[in-house]
Amino acid sequence: MSNKQTYWFPAKRYGWGWGLPSSWQGRVVLAGFIGLLGVGFLIFPPSKDLGPLLAYVALLTSLLIAICWLKGEPPRWRWGGGESV
């Protein structure tokens, strides 16, 4: 069995942060995020009151960033070149 760590979210080639998921676990997390966003728009209609919807979206986004931070490649600024720092 290999000890090589597999990242759910690889780093972007340019800029800072993560790209699209590279494993099934990452895809499940991203699909869950998108699904819960849709449910949030049904529970908190923006035409009624915008505040609860914005709080809900902020909470979901914070959870997604936390999961990316824990299960993704360590973030750093990338210029698209080789792996030299």
Side-chain angles (χ1 to χ4, degrees), residues 3 7-8 13-16 26-27 35 45 51 58 62 71 75 78 80 85:
N3 287 337
Y7 294 115
W8 293 4
R13 185 170 180 162
Y14 294 95
W16 190 92
R27 290 183 194 102
S62 299
K71 295 295 186 176
R78 298 171 194 273
V85 178

Side-chain angles (χ1 to χ4, degrees), residues 23-48:
S23 69
W24 68 268
Q25 295 97 331
R27 290 183 194 102
V28 167
V29 168
L30 187 59
F33 173 76
I34 292 169
L36 287 172
L37 273 179
V39 168
F41 275 87
L42 295 175
I43 294 173
F44 307 112
S47 60
K48 212 173 192 186

